[in-house]
Amino acid sequence: MPIPMAVCELLSVGTELILGDILNTNTRFLSQALAALGIAVQRHGTVGDNPERLAEDLRAALVRSRIVILTGGLGPTADDITKEVVCAVLGIPLVLDARQMAAIERFFRVRGAPMGETNRKQALVPEGCTVLYNDNGTAPGCWIPWKGNVVVLLPGPPREMEPMFREKVVPLLRPFSSGVIVSHQLRTVGLGESLMAERAGELLDGENPTVAPYAKDGESYLRITAAAPDETQAEALCAPVIGQLAERLRGYVYGIDQLLEEAAVKALRQAGKTVALAESCTGGGISTLLTEVPGASEVFGWGVVSYANECKQALLGVREETLRLWGAVSEPCAKEMAEGIRAASGADFGLAVTGIAGPGSSNTDKSAGLIWLAIAGQNGVRVRQLSTGRNDRRYNRTIAAKQALALLLEELQKKATPSNGGSV
Amino acid sequence: MPIPMAVCELLSVGTELILGDILNTNTRFLSQALAALGIAVQRHGTVGDNPERLAEDLRAALVRSRIVILTGGLGPTADDITKEVVCAVLGIPLVLDARQMAAIERFFRVRGAPMGETNRKQALVPEGCTVLYNDNGTAPGCWIPWKGNVVVLLPGPPREMEPMFREKVVPLLRPFSSGVIVSHQLRTVGLGESLMAERAGELLDGENPTVAPYAKDGESYLRITAAAPDETQAEALCAPVIGQLAERLRGYVYGIDQLLEEAAVKALRQAGKTVALAESCTGGGISTLLTEVPGASEVFGWGVVSYANECKQALLGVREETLRLWGAVSEPCAKEMAEGIRAASGADFGLAVTGIAGPGSSNTDKSAGLIWLAIAGQNGVRVRQLSTGRNDRRYNRTIAAKQALALLLEELQKKATPSNGGSV
């Protein structure tokens, strides 16, 4: 990176993390947010609710990093020790913050609940710090300048930590940022990570922007990251590289910085079209993805989860002989499902999926990972077969849902159509 | 804990972790697995693909911990440095492992792909180590005894790391375990974390087993953890405490060590009953949860995602005047949805949900977080209203799905019924 950056490290505090009871999502959130600010995170550390180990690790961090951000251990109970240990290490006394005390008293008064003596502890803050008042809980955060360094204390629950960081810490961190980092994702579907990387070619070797390939559950994307003194310059570095990559990956790129379901809802809305769903092996997974997008109701109104053959017949009009002759996991069944839900709903598109998610299989001639997709529109119905080759229920369901949305997007974008069939 | 335990720490290696590009799930998996073995994890650390910082942190870890487990950085490319740095720190040379070399050559031969010179690197292992052959990739793990300590290298991708740890590392770790830790979750629904903790009372103060309360998205649970020389003794310590807790939480406990959807599928199967779903605001979320459980097709065959009013009328038989007079988010509509899907499907139970997930609301008199649930059975239909008080789409959808499954379980278990209505 061409810009010198302030060095930062993250220290998470909590026995529940050390025991693996909860997943640490805070370090990921903070790492991404700090990178965007042009602040280099070099280490993540986690310790339990143990004063000696926390003090030892904090001392080590202060020696090597200009910014140390601690999360967790700010609660009201005896095992919440972060503030006390930090003050002991820095040699700063804890003092009562009147505004925070009033906020805690109000919190309990509003709820008509008695306030415990332990809650008083949450109104104590390191002397001379900037108090980061918590809009989503009773634990305040603290911004503590110390000998040219800064120590930041944030609450552990992501619902409290994330807005506090965004709204109150980011403005304070700006002076430590000697530039900005801008990052975009060029998202593709239908192409594996290695083929995507191959097509990207020597663009993967760039230094500013850097281009890195990633893959997860049937989607592959390239992350394009540029560093510059300001956002305009960083964007200007990214733009031509994104353009070249999009050209090389033509037919597989479905969007920039957006999820497949967001792209689908957006494309439907722009085209003024609606979709209805008939799902078998995905069990409502496509519906769930689409309706996670606010405003999905404008483009999606009807879904049927037809796990049972009787449901396929009654609600989707799949014919008995189709099921008898070809089975529920077959091209004819997928077609009839798509046509059936389109006819019942009056939607512009009927999208259907039927497959074998696994584990195991009750069909002797069909194996887990076999999936049929179909999309019915005004010009007829188009099908696609997938074979994931895996006996992994979660994976197969995810792939089927993603590929179904990709098929819908293709139809909407009238993209060059890869040949029917093919494995994932 | 009454048993002295070998001290362990985890070191994750990878710039993608430090940048927040991926979430670190390995530390959680390993922490849980090590706790179960009676090995105390005291620290998690993460560094990027940087030889100096990795070497520094490894040296610090070796001084204080008997077992150091590193994940990541075993790939074939130049930025994969873990093996090289570990060998340099420990003063052990890298040597070619013939079996691993043959496995890599076979890997490429089978795929008909040319083998790059860089892949040769993956056949190099620290001299004298126990090679942990990788059944799911080309990077071998290593078990390296060193001056009474042990350093374990594992690949970063969870799909490779987790089976390698379970199958190859756990047997080697047994001698370091001076006992076992057994942990159970007593899972409840319909009771907040604080009320649950209040009822658990002084049982939360126990030392062996320990009892700790947790809450996530509308479910609360107690974790009961006992340490003992063997599993039988650890289970014997847990059993009476679990019994007492279940008694104090009667009416709210739905299972031990199982998710709500697993409990629902199991209870339906045991009762020989089926359920059909009519979902509005959850958008297929209940369907998706149920069908994540293998074998769900035995108890679930029909689902309708009725986002549009026309769909509620056509597929569920909701009456036009109900929608006109009371709206889609109303007690009468929820009732008719539940009765309608039960009648259409012939299932024993019809379960319905309609509500306002947010953000915002098109209804002036109804706000985000208002949810109506209904369950129809042979004895009629029962409804429940929820008010989450939050304008948070994801949260409201999750709460609605969980509470719908809880309502189904209540009906199946014929539990003492809490009064209709109430907030979450």
Side-chain angles (χ1 to χ4, degrees), chain A residues 229-402:
Chain A
D230 64 45
E231 202 176 316
T232 311
Q233 293 178 62
E235 292 287 4
L237 287 167
C238 287
V241 176
I242 290 176
Q244 282 176 278
L245 289 167
E247 184 56 37
R248 294 184 188 186
L249 295 164
R250 184 199 290 269
Y252 298 99
V253 173
Y254 69 80
I256 294 177
D257 299 330
Q258 62 183 214
L259 298 173
L260 200 43
E261 56 271 24
E262 292 168 342
V265 169
K266 192 175 159 196
L268 283 165
R269 199 183 278 159
Q270 284 176 344
K273 304 280 188 192
T274 57
V275 66
L277 299 171
E279 301 188 58
S280 188
C281 65
T282 45
I286 307 175
S287 251
T288 305
L289 281 176
L290 274 187
T291 58
E292 273 168 11
V293 184
S297 59
E298 290 171 40
V299 298
F300 168 72
W302 297 57
V304 166
V305 181
S306 57
Y307 241 48
N309 282 349
E310 295 73 28
C311 181
K312 293 185 183 77
Q313 291 175 252
L315 300 187
L316 303 173
V318 172
R319 292 174 304 165
E320 196 185 342
E321 51 268 44
T322 300
L323 294 167
R324 186 165 47 81
L325 292 174
W326 310 108
V329 180
S330 66
E331 177 173 348
C333 183
K335 275 187 174 174
E336 290 179 22
M337 287 169 69
E339 289 168 327
I341 192 66
R342 179 168 184 262
S345 64
D348 297 297
F349 295 104
L351 182 60
V353 55
T354 175
I356 301 171
S361 168
S362 52
N363 289 279
T364 47
D365 59 334
K366 293 172 184 170
S367 58
L370 173 69
I371 294 151
W372 283 98
L373 308 174
I375 187 155
Q378 60 180 3
N379 300 320
V381 58
R382 195 151 71 90
V383 295
R384 177 170 297 162
Q385 185 189 347
L386 307 174
S387 303
T388 70
R390 286 208 210 162
N391 189 11
D392 177 335
R393 187 176 184 87
R394 185 174 290 267
Y395 179 82
N396 289 333
R397 283 159 52 97
T398 305
I399 292 287
K402 294 273 175 74

Side-chain angles (χ1 to χ4, degrees), chain A residues 17-18 20-21 28 32 41-44 46 53 57 214 223 283-284 287-288 291 301 303 305 307-308 393 397, chain B residues 17-18 20-21 28 32 41-44 46 53 57 214 223 283-284 287-288 291 301 303 305 307-308 393 397:
Chain A
L17 292 166
I18 281 293
D21 279 337
R28 183 191 193 188
Q32 286 185 327
V41 176
Q42 290 195 337
R43 281 183 172 89
H44 301 165
T46 305
R53 286 195 281 277
D57 287 7
Y214 295 89
R223 181 184 283 277
S287 251
T288 305
T291 58
V305 181
Y307 241 48
R393 187 176 184 87
R397 283 159 52 97
Chain B
L17 293 166
I18 281 294
D21 279 337
R28 184 192 192 186
Q32 286 186 326
V41 176
Q42 290 194 337
R43 280 184 173 89
H44 301 165
T46 304
R53 286 195 281 278
D57 288 7
Y214 296 89
R223 180 184 284 275
S287 253
T288 305
T291 58
V305 181
Y307 241 49
R393 188 176 183 87
R397 282 159 53 97

